DNA sequence: AAATTGCCATGACAGATGTCATGACAGACA
DNA sequence: TGTCTGTCATGACATCTGTCATGGCAATTT
């Protein structure tokens, strides 16, 4: 079946979610060039995604992972609950292995990095719409070799707060813990990451998509 | 003169530089919808910009500030040297006030944040091409209130290296300085930023576009 | 010529950080 | 039941970090 035939039948109804309006509009222009694809809704925030998808009877949702407030992963979980038949294709700026796993756990059918050639986007949308899966092979490989997140929930919380330079006392207060406990969690996270201090550990954890 | 008339006369020849191929392709699709604008070259790296711009007799270069290797600001400086008549419009993901100043010092005629509505992009390209300037008013205001970069060259170098968690000894070795001197520079930078430690200071400095 | 500023360096001090040993409790699991 | 893991906590120790006083040098400004 050619793209033109498909368009004549019924175009694929796409929703775009990206916090950057310029990128969102540009992606819409790109996809609307395809005769068998139609962008029927756009969201600048993950919170709107589920509602818009239902309203516009969306076939495929293209979700940016990085968004302020409700991010793409959270939006995917909400959308899956609200509209289980809707396919989801995640798009991300950073190739952090941890995101790949999280995306599929959230119900996504595909995962694209933003340095994919633009000519492949439409094909990815079609494949996902047809029930297939889309994964960047290189990213899948690094995801397998790097393995799962070794950090516990508490370690992630503590490390996240340490990122911005908050001292132990402040982290402890914000989590209602003793300072010693926070230092223990930090020490444990530092050990698991193999780094020398909390900052380097937080860096690595962010790169891996662990926090 | 309408856009159609302008297209009949001679379309504006645009170069796109962005490290993310998907975004680059999408922006090209968006701009090519305009009859009076034609994307004649694309670069995924700042180093190629000047050469491509000359080869394709580019009127306006759309440069992403954030690129690995040669970034948009560096590319702008090289392009101005190689082709002084070429207009430059900077595009950025993050609205860091310091970048605005740096962009105009590098010779740019305009500065757009990526959450600008996509409908305004073509207008910005036309205005820059006509010799005008484009600045996001909100960003210009914060740029004025936040003022110039208070950090010295050394302080920026030291703070940059401290960002990723490198200990003082390592920073000192990489800059061929004594450990004490590095700590003095860090202390000075911490004082100037009004933060409590090197990490918070580095965070603020990055947000402001100082490092 | 004098003052200012940035850069480099040293030494000393207080406080923050990373590590380790130890103990307690709850939930999961074989 | 016993074991394991994650969580919380305390105390002690060595090291790292941030600050300050002090001094010297070069370039710029007044």
């Amino acid at each position: 079946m050619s793209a033109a035939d498909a368009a004549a039948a019924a175009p694929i109804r796409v929703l775009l979610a990206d916090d950057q309006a310029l990128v969102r509009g540009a992606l819409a222009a790109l996809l609307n060039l395809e005769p068998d694809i139609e962008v029927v809704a756009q969201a600048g925030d993950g919170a709107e995604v589920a509602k818009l998808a239902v309203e516009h009877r969306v076939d495929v949702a293209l979700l940016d992972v990085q968004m302020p407030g409700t991010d793409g992963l959270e939006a995917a979980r909400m959308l899956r609950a609200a509209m289980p038949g809707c396919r989801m294709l995640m798009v991300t700026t950073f190739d952090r292995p941890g995101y790949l796993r999280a995306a599929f756990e959230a119900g996504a059918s595909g995962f694209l990095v933003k340095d994919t050639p633009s000519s492949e986007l439409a094909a990815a949308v079609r494949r996902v719409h047809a029930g297939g899966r889309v994964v960047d092979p290189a990213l899948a490989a690094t995801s397998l070799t790097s393995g799962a997140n070794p950090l516990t929930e508490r370690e992630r919380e503590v490390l996240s707060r340490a990122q911005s330079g908050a001292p132990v006392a402040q982290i402890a207060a914000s989590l209602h813990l003793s300072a010693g406990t926070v230092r223990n969690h930090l020490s444990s996270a530092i050990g698991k990451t193999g780094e020398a201090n909390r900052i380097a550990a937080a860096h690595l954890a962010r790169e891996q998509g662990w926090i």
Side-chain angles (χ1 to χ4, degrees), chain A residues 132-188:
Chain A
R133 289 181 173 271
V134 173
V135 188
D136 179 17
L139 186 54
T142 58
S143 174
L144 287 174
T145 58
S146 71
N149 190 338
L151 302 177
T152 68
E153 173 69 21
R154 269 308 199 207
E155 286 161 0
R156 285 197 297 275
E157 274 179 324
V158 170
L159 207 51
S160 299
R161 286 164 156 79
Q163 269 188 108
S164 50
V168 168
Q170 198 173 308
I171 300 174
S174 79
L175 292 176
H176 308 291
L177 294 176
S178 80
T181 299
V182 170
R183 292 206 285 161
N184 285 339
H185 285 311
L186 282 173
S187 182
S188 171

Side-chain angles (χ1 to χ4, degrees), chain A residues 73 77 96-108 111 135 139-140 142-149 208-210:
Chain A
L73 295 171
R77 282 186 280 268
R96 294 173 184 166
Y99 287 164
L100 183 60
R101 182 183 300 262
F104 283 105
E105 281 170 5
F111 195 90
V135 188
L139 186 54
T142 58
S143 174
L144 287 174
T145 58
S146 71
N149 190 338
Q208 298 289 321
W210 292 340

Side-chain angles (χ1 to χ4, degrees), chain A residues 36-90:
Chain A
D36 60 331
I37 296 177
E38 187 184 357
V39 176
V40 296
Q42 294 189 27
D45 178 10
E48 313 166 342
V49 167
K51 179 164 157 278
L52 285 171
V54 172
E55 272 179 22
H56 292 88
R57 305 190 320 282
V58 163
D59 295 316
V60 177
L62 204 69
L63 307 175
D64 191 342
V65 174
Q66 285 88 22
M67 286 192 285
T70 309
D71 71 5
L73 295 171
E74 184 58 32
R77 282 186 280 268
M78 289 163 53
L79 178 52
R80 179 174 52 172
M83 198 181 175
C86 183
R87 309 281 178 183
M88 296 179 276
L89 180 54
M90 309 302 295

